[in-house]
Amino acid sequence: MPLSDSRPHGKKTATPHAKWSMVSPTGICGHVFDPRDPEKRFIVELLIDGVPTAIARAELHVAHLARDEPSYRDGDGCHGFVFNIDRAALGVTRQIEVRLANRGDVLAPPLLAPALEPEGGDANPAGAVRWLGGLRFNGWLGKGADATSRVRALHDGQIVAETMPAHWAHVGDGDTARARGFDLFLPIQFADGRARQVQILDDHERELSGSPCGFVAFEDGLARFVDQHAALEAQQPRTKLFDRRAPQSLPFSMLAHWRERFFGAPTPAPDRAALENPTPKIGVALIGERDVEASVASLEAQRGCEWVAAVFEGGGESSFHNGSLRDFLDGEAKDCELVVFAPCGAVFEPTALAQLARALALFPGAPAAYGDFTLAQSHGGEWPVALPAFGYERMLEQGFAALLFALPTPAARAAVAGGAENLFRLFNFSQDARPAAGPRPPHPAAATPVHQPGFLARLPRLEVVAATQALALANRAHLAARGVQAKIEPGVGALFACVRVMRRAPRGKVSILIPTRDRVDLLQPCLNSLFATVDLARHEAIVLDNDSSDPASLAFFAQIVQRGVRVIRVGGPFNFAKIINKGASIAVGDYLLLLNNDVEALTPGWLDEMLGRMAEPDVGAVGATLLWPDGAVQHGGVVLGPHLAAGHAFNERIDGDFGYADLLSATHEVSAVTAACLLTDRRLFLELGGFDGLHFPVNFNDVDYCLKLRAKGLRVIQATQAKLLHRESASRGLDRRADRKDRFRRELENLRAIWGEALIADPCYSPLLSLDEFPFSALSWPPRDLRARQDFSPPPRLVPPGF
């Protein structure tokens, strides 16, 4: 790396002369002296990605100083300093600086860190693997692997499991960082609580990096294991914590075993609400022309209720003749307390109807109750569709809850009287009373549909095109009833109906806040993408400069100011939360768009898509889909709970993938979105105090803010059609260095202390799905809380300073 040389920038009390350079892949040597006072010794500090990491006194002898530096006179030559950087830290470092301690004078422009080869030569060409918890292992295969490559697990020299790549993994930087990823689950007999090791090999018998892997698994989790051993009962709180931090999962292919294990037992004793109404009478409306006999046979096996059923046709599997359903409600079902709706051919679990009735009894103000289901496959198998608590946006774009649901009979009659002619309109009719504008609502009342976790029925596969047409018709009627102007277009779904609901973006100015420190190589394409995709004449772009010193960056700042971009200096150690708060305090827009300097917009319209979601009065924040440069998904919303923390969803998928249950195709509610691209109302942001720079200076400030919004009854939206490129952590590096690990650990403990209740039960995620590192990819083993639930987020817990 070439030698750097410059004079410090800014106002100074002296003008020291300095040089430094990288003299080896991990070594820095340099000197600094004051030509007017050669006996003076300076203290210098090393900054890695803007964070001070080492300090040294410049007093080492530099033999060539008097010979090579004309300004050096009459000194002893003792003005040198040396820094050695940890190799592991340098591997994730982006920028290196040397400054005078305390004064902050920059000793030559910063340098980009050198690219290092891994110790011992090239990385393992076979790939890598790691244990995710329980019986699950995740990894990737090296170059040359394809969809037919195999991965084998050996225990005591015997092959005990094998798999093939089924997704993608992001394993490095740049446009070619994508590799074939795999999941591997060991057989259930290894869940015996014994510590073991397993070797993971590719199909060329090469051992993957990370192998052999140690693991331990407990059937149904450690907490249940301890429950069976009275002598260990006192350890129960500790075992529950273990299960949350090291969650276990089973693959979707083991659904039959999983369901028999956890749902094959007799129906639990009825609760108080069920005792008050032990045998409800239920109407069942089967829509369509499919396998009626299978549905009737499953109804005859129902327990805990009385029922009467009828089949309704109407030109599709989700549509019916309005008059026929009206006659049913006024005739055979007139004495029924509720009506269950499902496509004809649905095969109900023996307690499905009773569970839906119980959910409505527990939440008497709820307009509807819906349940999870499985989808039948052509080869005879079935795939689980585990749903979240109710989300209005996903109801519009996918109609997710309208395939298996129950309505109180008066509500069903009202929907039919209102002209409902398909399942989607029956369900969304109860939402017609949502305010279209006005002040933001208080915390949501009981008028929210209730979700009953558990796979209550096996449904036939939908005819997606016909279902999409029916959903579009239902949405037009619903939004017209609310007085909401929106354009509705067919979307593309693999399993479910899919439409795009494009509301008119609200009038108002957006202040785009972009924190940066040097790295003009990132900031320039970020701003260029904004100029190409956003009408910045309507909005404002504000670059928040955190002590940049690179002359190229300073020159670039002067250029962009001429193009109307505001550049605001925010000095001091890197504290993302405080930098954003400073930007919000001087912004003049109605909305704030937080945007990382390593994000690039891809196509026009993305900001209008996000603003259109903010048109609803109960939306507090909107996020976007972020992609790595290689096309892999980096962010598809935040899921609470993985390892008792928070994680990005769908980062094992690539752009164009539909995602679990088509979630990458349908805009939907989430508990949080990343501040790498986050839109929110400026007055609301200031009202909540902005980001918490004390507890979350760098990590989780976005999660904390979104959870504060949700605690106020506001929604957080993941706008899947707004797509941007994100070179994640390219600007500040990853949190793998020792100093950053400590900070990350503190922030994680703060998140657990303040939002622990929310981390345990994310309403936007299913208790039936795993909480390991890859949400939406496996079944939770065991399932978590199966009680009926509404969309609700708890308030933060107040944590005294120092705790």
Side-chain angles (χ1 to χ4, degrees), residues 725-802:
L725 183 146
H726 186 203
R727 305 179 190 276
E728 184 190 23
S729 299
S731 54
R732 67 176 185 86
L734 300 174
D735 292 314
R736 294 176 186 163
R737 297 204 315 260
D739 60 312
R740 290 187 175 171
K741 284 183 178 179
D742 289 342
R743 182 187 62 207
F744 180 86
R745 177 184 55 78
R746 291 193 299 270
E747 292 167 322
L748 176 56
E749 291 304 323
N750 286 334
L751 182 72
R752 290 168 174 169
I754 297 171
W755 294 105
E757 189 177 347
L759 296 180
I760 291 172
D762 185 348
C764 298
Y765 192 63
S766 171
L768 307 180
L769 296 177
S770 66
L771 279 180
D772 52 30
E773 194 168 327
F774 297 96
F776 298 106
S777 64
L779 296 166
S780 180
W781 183 35
R784 297 180 296 283
D785 191 348
L786 298 177
R787 290 176 295 181
R789 59 184 186 155
Q790 289 181 310
D791 183 22
F792 171 77
S793 287
R797 181 186 299 135
L798 298 179
V799 178

Side-chain angles (χ1 to χ4, degrees), residues 394-400 424 471 496-498 661-663 666:
R394 188 175 176 186
M395 181 201 75
L396 291 178
E397 298 229 337
Q398 191 185 69
F400 73 106
F424 304 111
L471 178 59
F496 301 102
C498 183
D662 291 357
L663 271 179

Side-chain angles (χ1 to χ4, degrees), residues 442-793:
H443 201 278
T448 303
V450 58
H451 171 228
Q452 175 57 60
F455 301 116
L456 303 185
R458 183 179 75 244
L459 304 185
R461 284 283 294 271
L462 288 175
E463 206 290 299
V464 173
V465 174
T468 294
Q469 294 172 348
L471 178 59
L473 288 172
N475 282 337
R476 290 189 181 100
H478 165 64
L479 293 175
R482 289 187 59 213
V484 174
Q485 294 185 348
K487 184 179 180 181
I488 299 175
E489 293 183 349
V492 180
L495 298 175
F496 301 102
C498 183
V499 300
R500 287 191 63 190
V501 177
M502 293 169 284
R503 301 173 183 84
R504 177 179 295 178
R507 294 184 177 273
K509 188 172 188 175
V510 178
S511 296
I512 305 173
L513 307 182
I514 310 172
T516 194
R517 181 199 289 263
D518 295 314
R519 297 310 304 268
V520 67
D521 58 315
L522 296 174
L523 181 61
Q524 186 169 12
C526 172
L527 286 173
N528 287 343
S529 75
L530 292 180
F531 283 116
T533 61
V534 175
D535 181 8
L536 287 181
R538 290 176 49 209
H539 310 297
E540 66 169 348
I542 304 175
V543 171
L544 302 169
D545 171 35
N546 182 218
D547 288 343
S548 293
S549 57
D550 180 9
S553 297
L554 301 178
F556 181 66
F557 292 161
Q559 295 175 20
I560 61 177
V561 167
Q562 299 300 315
R563 299 187 67 181
V565 177
R566 299 170 65 186
V567 178
I568 306 298
R569 184 179 182 277
V570 187
F574 180 71
N575 184 315
F576 180 81
K578 290 185 177 180
I579 293 170
I580 291 297
N581 291 345
K582 176 63 177 179
S585 70
I586 57 95
V588 298
D590 301 281
Y591 302 96
L592 300 176
L593 177 72
L594 315 185
L595 194 70
N596 276 16
N597 66 343
D598 55 359
V599 170
E600 298 171 33
L602 299 175
T603 56
W606 62 273
L607 183 54
D608 286 338
E609 166 69 12
M610 297 178 73
L611 280 169
R613 308 295 168 174
M614 289 294 298
E616 291 283 350
D618 64 341
V619 172
V622 180
T625 299
L626 302 182
L627 308 173
W628 270 305
D630 63 3
V633 175
Q634 182 265 320
H635 173 78
V638 169
V639 172
L640 305 180
H643 301 293
L644 202 55
H648 298 292
F650 300 116
N651 55 15
E652 85 284 11
R653 309 296 179 114
I654 61 171
D655 187 26
D657 193 311
F658 291 99
Y660 176 81
D662 291 357
L663 271 179
L664 285 176
S665 299
T667 292
H668 55 280
E669 282 83 356
V670 291
S671 282
V673 293
T674 176
C677 183
L678 184 154
L679 181 70
T680 190
D681 184 284
R682 182 178 65 88
R683 284 173 293 183
L684 182 62
F685 186 82
L686 296 176
E687 176 188 323
L688 291 179
F691 281 172
D692 184 344
L694 175 63
H695 294 101
F696 308 106
V698 176
N699 298 285
F700 305 120
N701 38 59
D702 43 13
V703 176
D704 174 69
Y705 175 69
C706 289
L707 290 178
K708 288 177 182 175
L709 292 172
R710 285 184 50 79
K712 288 177 64 70
L714 300 175
R715 294 186 291 139
V716 177
I717 304 298
Q718 175 66 17
T720 58
Q721 299 304 320
K723 294 183 180 180
L724 300 94
L725 183 146
H726 186 203
R727 305 179 190 276
E728 184 190 23
S729 299
S731 54
R732 67 176 185 86
L734 300 174
D735 292 314
R736 294 176 186 163
R737 297 204 315 260
D739 60 312
R740 290 187 175 171
K741 284 183 178 179
D742 289 342
R743 182 187 62 207
F744 180 86
R745 177 184 55 78
R746 291 193 299 270
E747 292 167 322
L748 176 56
E749 291 304 323
N750 286 334
L751 182 72
R752 290 168 174 169
I754 297 171
W755 294 105
E757 189 177 347
L759 296 180
I760 291 172
D762 185 348
C764 298
Y765 192 63
S766 171
L768 307 180
L769 296 177
S770 66
L771 279 180
D772 52 30
E773 194 168 327
F774 297 96
F776 298 106
S777 64
L779 296 166
S780 180
W781 183 35
R784 297 180 296 283
D785 191 348
L786 298 177
R787 290 176 295 181
R789 59 184 186 155
Q790 289 181 310
D791 183 22
F792 171 77
S793 287

